[in-house]
Amino acid sequence: MDFELTDQQAAFRDAARQFSDNELAPRAAHWDEHQEFPRDAIAGAGELGFCGLYTPEEAGGLGLSRLDASIVLEELARGCTSTTAFISIHNMATWMVGAYANPQTRDALCPALAAGESLASYCLTEPGAGSDAAALKTSATKAEGGYVLNGTKAFISGAGDTDVLVVMARVADGSGPRTGASGISAFAVDAGAPGISYGRKEAKLGWNSQATRQVVFENAMVPAARLLGKEGEGFRIAMRGLDGGRVNIAACSVGTAAAAVEQCRAYMSERRAFGRTIGSFQALRFKLADMATNLVASRQMVRLAASKLDRGDADATVYCAMAKRFATDLCFDICNDALQIHGGYGYIKEYPLERYLRDSRVHQILEGTSEIMRVIVARRLLLEGASEIL
């Protein structure tokens, strides 16, 4: 087992860090304050291949491993958590199109998506179907030449600013919508198609550089060629996407926490109290040591889950759930501790600590809450046996 990065991985890490330092970090506070979607910066990331990290090469992506992608996303998140989180969601949606669309749709959509020239949103969650994604009600009724979508999606990142919607919907025919997870299908939908409208931009605690809106489908026609995979495969596609998405969001948490630890390290060397730097106080030294230890543990957990996913390990889903729960919880705590060490300065916007805290909080909710991650792990341990894990 080799924990060291390969030369290629180190090169991607360095390129991502340089982009993050130069293009994301200096502008992150502005995007947050003005709730500005940085399409130009995302396009710049696309020029480096970061909008199609694990999209297949034949679809225009880099075709990297999930481990490679996690390394890149971690570095990007050091500069702007919110923007990187959108890039991670865009990567998931682009991969779905690249991996499951027919050649015609893939060739029409993926090159621009992978290059960051057009952007994608992922539409799974509904007002009444959050953690219970299989309970979604959005319907896709068969019609001549395709399907007619009706329903509402909620909390959709980038909605209103993106060009393609990857939509999970329940196929309906003459006998009505098909029930259960096997009735769900996936579609790549033009975001500006007739019959699609968008709700108000949600006022949020964090993630302010990307809009979050409802998406409403009212008799929106989708050509049959835009079906991803086969009818009834949508839920499986969604869950496969979420395994990688959980690694992505966990990597974003690690990158944010790394930035917070670095801020603390510098601050503790400069800030003076009682006649000496606060880095000379044992209590704060121990706190910083624990933060760094939890950061490294989170990073290793994320990379282990990513490697399991790359190998197609039978327990990959469980490891992705463990990594997502562990990293998002611990890295939020790291950001909170970093703010505390900064005292009053951590609470004001002159320093980035309060933004780190706000932006990383939602990572414990989206792509499956920390509680749902525990459900996945516990079910594997108690109902399916876990000799390989334990």
Side-chain angles (χ1 to χ4, degrees), residues 80-101:
C80 183
T81 310
S82 173
T83 301
T84 303
F86 174 77
I87 291 172
S88 81
I89 295 168
H90 169 83
N91 266 278
M92 179 173 65
T94 300
W95 167 78
M96 288 180 175
V97 177
Y100 292 101

Side-chain angles (χ1 to χ4, degrees), residues 124-201:
L124 174 64
T125 301
E126 298 185 359
S131 294
D132 185 10
L136 66 84
K137 295 181 179 179
T138 296
S139 64
T141 304
K142 288 186 175 182
E144 184 177 355
Y147 303 82
V148 179
L149 293 182
N150 283 283
T152 301
K153 298 294 183 178
F155 305 122
I156 305 305
S157 294
D161 293 315
T162 53
D163 309 287
V164 177
L165 307 175
V166 174
V167 181
M168 301 297 161
R170 193 171 296 283
V171 170
D173 49 29
S175 58
R178 299 174 187 171
T179 60
S182 62
I184 297 171
S185 297
F187 302 88
V189 182
D190 289 336
I196 300 176
S197 60
Y198 299 91
R200 64 181 174 86
K201 181 189 267 189

Side-chain angles (χ1 to χ4, degrees), residues 54-56 58-59 66 91-107 109-110 122 166-168 185-188 224-244 309:
Y54 48 91
T55 296
E58 59 269 23
R66 299 306 174 93
N91 266 278
M92 179 173 65
T94 300
W95 167 78
M96 288 180 175
V97 177
Y100 292 101
N102 58 58
Q104 174 189 351
T105 297
R106 182 194 67 195
D107 293 345
L109 298 181
C110 269
Y122 177 59
V166 174
V167 181
M168 301 297 161
S185 297
F187 302 88
R226 292 299 185 89
L227 177 70
L228 301 181
K230 299 177 181 178
E231 283 189 6
E233 289 186 339
F235 191 76
R236 181 178 67 85
I237 293 171
M239 293 304 103
R240 280 201 66 196
L242 284 177
D243 280 343
L309 201 56

